[in-house]
Amino acid sequence: MTVVIDRSRPVTSQTTGQGAGTAPVSAAAKARAKGDAGQKLYKPRTPIYPKLAHGRWRTIKWALLIATLTVYYVTPWIRWKRPDGLPQQAVLVDFDHARFYFFWIELWPQEVYFITGLLVIAALALFLVTAMFGRLWCGYACPQTVWTDLYIHVERLFEGDRNARMRLDAQPWSFDKAWRKIGKHLVWLGIGFGTGGAWIFYFHDAPNLITHFWIGQAPMTAYVSCALLTLTTYAFAGTMREQVCTYMCPWPRIQGAMLDEHSLQVTYRRDRGEPRGAHKKAESWEGRGDCVDCNQCVVVCPMGIDIRNGAQLECINCALCIDACDEIMARVERPAGLIAFDTDAAVAARACGKTPTYHLARPRTLYYAVALSVVSGIMLWGLLQRSPLVAEALRDRAPMFVRLHDGSIRDGYTLKIANRAYEPKDVQIRFAGVEGTRLKTPGDDTVGSVLSVHLNPDELQAVRVFVTAPQAALSAPNMPAAFTVSAGKTTVLAKTIFLSAQGNAP
């Protein structure tokens, strides 16, 4: 049937579909009418009031919260002994001098591949943990989870637990409600400011920066970064909370590729819990499941979901529903573990009367473990083989070479030598690949087969070198060569080329 809508007729009470003989109204027109009546385009966030859980998993979350926040806030203040003139901060990203310090490790800009390798290791470790145990990162160590937990704890201190907070929000404004709300938000802002303040200490010497910060002499980037981190921490952990995990973070959608039926996840054991329903103390448990439909697993969930509906995108595997359910099972004198870390395959096996089997080692996890081991091994090998002395030769382009009055050929080079050690080094420079070469530096009349250069700790020095070769030693227009840079037992090569004929440059 075709419906014809006559838009030439004015919309009146006769054309709104409320009486007989009225003309039909399109869905779009109804939506517009609702919008005009004050309907919002998007559904506002529904507040979630998670109840405080008690049990093993909640204790683990408290311990990890304290540990991770302690690491974050304390690390910039750890001192590490280095030579005078170098930062004494254990962990520091020094953009001014292009260095990254991590305790005894110091990385230069040319070693950014170590940072890349670290990110690859972190990604593979996350894939492996997710494939084996679900979203443990999200539930216990993700900054969004950690700071949200902290903010909810502050909220409980001011407003009480779940029921008290719900009653407070439903009450009209009063002095009691105002001071609790204002106090909570002020503490939230203080935590956000502490978060931003701790972050900027990773990029400047913490004791100096904290002094300069309060007297207005810190870099502008420090003030901007602190303000941004304050606002984002306050917004994400205080007002957005689960929406960050559900809508902003890509990991809930990516994790689907990491999980399978053998992955351990927080699971409602439907084979044991159904059929569910209320239970009185004197009633028998025959013919029914262990779930008493108390809804405690829902009210403790910081994401506001019902784990009994199965695996869901919003679930962060925090396991607080396990603590809540175990507490109820103890009260009704039933075994714990109605909600537990389990696999879909195990639940299906028990439903069929079979004994479940668990496969932590399977092709997916083995691949992640092997890849993680290989990348970790390569990074460890690279750190162990890292030379404290690095040299690179840049040949002059203009002029490419100079023919001297005795027929010998002179090439000019800029030799960049980096001393990555914390001790000064006296290095010897030699030139290999062409027989009979002589070396000298501009402004020094000394000519010889060896040049000596002094390098300070953690110094990059550019050395101009003229290499002169007798004509008889030149067998080709361009000859492969190398500078040999030695300091003690350490020797490195800086490969280059010696040119002796114009126009034959590579």
Side-chain angles (χ1 to χ4, degrees):
M1 179 180 69
T2 302
V3 177
V4 178
I5 301 175
D6 185 3
R7 297 189 181 278
S8 62
R9 298 178 58 190
V11 179
T12 65
S13 59
Q14 301 297 323
T15 59
T16 55
Q18 300 299 321
T22 59
V25 180
S26 67
K30 291 179 179 179
R32 285 194 297 269
K34 289 182 178 180
D36 294 340
Q39 278 285 359
K40 295 183 178 179
L41 183 60
Y42 298 104
K43 183 180 181 296
R45 173 180 178 267
T46 301
I48 295 175
Y49 302 89
K51 181 182 177 181
L52 178 62
H54 302 277
R56 175 177 57 180
W57 299 107
R58 177 66 265 183
T59 302
I60 293 175
K61 280 180 67 66
W62 284 131
L64 289 177
L65 181 147
I66 295 171
T68 51
L69 289 179
T70 300
V71 169
Y72 176 75
Y73 287 114
V74 173
T75 298
W77 298 95
I78 300 176
R79 302 290 93 187
W80 193 261
K81 181 63 177 176
R82 297 189 182 95
D84 293 340
L86 295 180
Q88 305 300 308
Q89 190 162 308
V91 179
L92 178 66
V93 182
D94 188 356
F95 282 120
D96 291 338
H97 301 93
R99 300 287 190 276
F100 172 63
Y101 300 95
F102 185 81
F103 293 93
W104 63 90
I105 299 173
E106 177 188 345
L107 298 183
W108 290 45
Q110 298 85 348
E111 299 175 297
V112 68
Y113 51 83
F114 282 114
I115 305 297
T116 304
L118 182 63
L119 294 176
V120 173
I121 290 173
L124 290 173
L126 182 60
F127 295 165
L128 177 61
V129 171
T130 301
M132 296 177 66
F133 307 109
R135 292 173 63 183
L136 285 186
W137 162 260
C138 299
Y140 292 89
C142 174
Q144 173 65 21
T145 299
V146 172
W147 264 271
T148 298
D149 250 4
L150 179 61
Y151 272 49
I152 292 176
H153 178 64
V154 171
E155 190 173 55
R156 287 195 185 102
L157 293 178
F158 277 93
E159 301 179 7
D161 206 358
R162 170 185 166 83
N163 293 337
R165 297 202 304 275
M166 294 174 68
R167 287 193 301 268
L168 186 66
D169 283 355
Q171 292 174 4
W173 280 98
S174 63
F175 176 79
D176 181 67
K177 181 175 181 177
W179 82 261
R180 293 180 186 276
K181 292 290 184 181
I182 293 173
K184 175 187 73 175
H185 285 277
L186 288 177
V187 174
W188 280 0
L189 285 171
I191 295 174
F193 180 75
T195 303
W199 176 256
I200 62 177
F201 291 150
Y202 284 91
F203 300 89
H204 301 274
D205 185 66
N208 290 332
L209 180 61
I210 194 171
T211 302
H212 294 159
F213 187 90
W214 293 111
I215 62 177
Q217 295 181 0
M220 183 55 64
T221 53
Y223 295 105
V224 173
S225 299
C226 184
L228 287 176
L229 264 295
T230 299
L231 294 177
T232 52
T233 304
Y234 172 80
F236 289 171
T239 62
M240 299 175 69
R241 293 184 180 175
E242 76 287 344
Q243 291 183 313
V244 175
C245 304
T246 305
Y247 301 114
M248 297 177 62
C249 180
W251 184 239
R253 290 151 184 83
I254 298 174
Q255 69 161 347
M258 313 294 159
L259 301 174
D260 56 28
E261 66 275 12
H262 297 292
S263 299
L264 284 168
Q265 303 180 72
V266 174
T267 304
Y268 168 64
R269 289 170 168 168
R270 185 174 297 274
D271 56 296
R272 173 186 156 187
E274 300 296 326
R276 73 183 77 159
H279 179 268
K280 295 182 179 180
K281 190 171 183 179
E283 291 179 347
S284 171
W285 290 93
E286 294 295 330
R288 57 155 297 149
D290 284 351
C291 179
V292 296
D293 207 14
C294 63
N295 220 38
Q296 290 301 301
C297 57
V298 179
V299 298
V300 300
C301 179
M303 303 299 293
I305 64 172
D306 189 342
I307 192 62
R308 294 172 296 180
N309 294 332
Q312 297 160 69
L313 176 144
E314 297 87 352
C315 180
I316 59 174
N317 273 22
C318 64
L320 296 181
C321 53
I322 296 179
D323 287 339
C325 186
D326 285 350
E327 186 176 357
I328 296 300
M329 290 296 101
R331 291 181 185 178
V332 298
E333 299 179 350
R334 299 298 292 172
L338 177 59
I339 301 176
F341 276 95
D342 208 346
T343 68
D344 293 341
V347 173
R350 285 192 299 269
C352 296
K354 300 178 181 178
T355 301
T357 57
Y358 297 91
H359 304 282
L360 291 180
R362 52 191 191 276
R364 181 190 299 269
T365 57
L366 291 176
Y367 167 77
Y368 292 143
V370 170
L372 178 61
S373 301
V374 169
V375 177
S376 300
I378 292 174
M379 289 298 102
L380 180 60
W381 178 85
L383 282 174
L384 294 177
Q385 297 297 316
R386 183 173 178 265
S387 174
L389 195 65
V390 178
E392 180 182 357
L394 303 176
R395 184 174 53 80
D396 290 353
R397 294 292 184 177
M400 292 185 178
F401 64 91
V402 175
R403 188 181 300 275
L404 303 180
H405 66 280
D406 60 354
S408 58
I409 302 298
R410 187 183 74 187
D411 283 13
Y413 300 87
T414 299
L415 190 61
K416 292 187 176 182
I417 309 174
N419 177 19
R420 294 174 175 170
Y422 290 153
E423 305 84 24
K425 291 184 180 297
D426 292 312
V427 301
Q428 288 75 46
I429 304 172
R430 296 176 175 85
F431 194 79
V434 181
E435 295 294 333
T437 55
R438 294 165 295 166
L439 284 67
K440 74 178 295 291
T441 58
D444 188 353
D445 295 334
T446 304
V447 179
S449 60
V450 181
L451 286 179
S452 296
V453 176
H454 178 78
L455 294 177
N456 294 321
D458 201 53
E459 181 187 25
L460 173 64
Q461 189 174 140
V463 181
R464 290 282 291 133
V465 180
F466 291 140
V467 180
T468 304
Q471 189 173 14
L474 303 175
S475 58
N478 50 70
M479 301 176 63
F483 284 95
T484 302
V485 182
S486 303
K489 297 181 179 180
T490 304
T491 300
V492 296
L493 296 179
K495 294 183 179 180
T496 183
I497 195 168
F498 190 89
L499 292 182
S500 59
Q502 191 173 6
N504 288 285

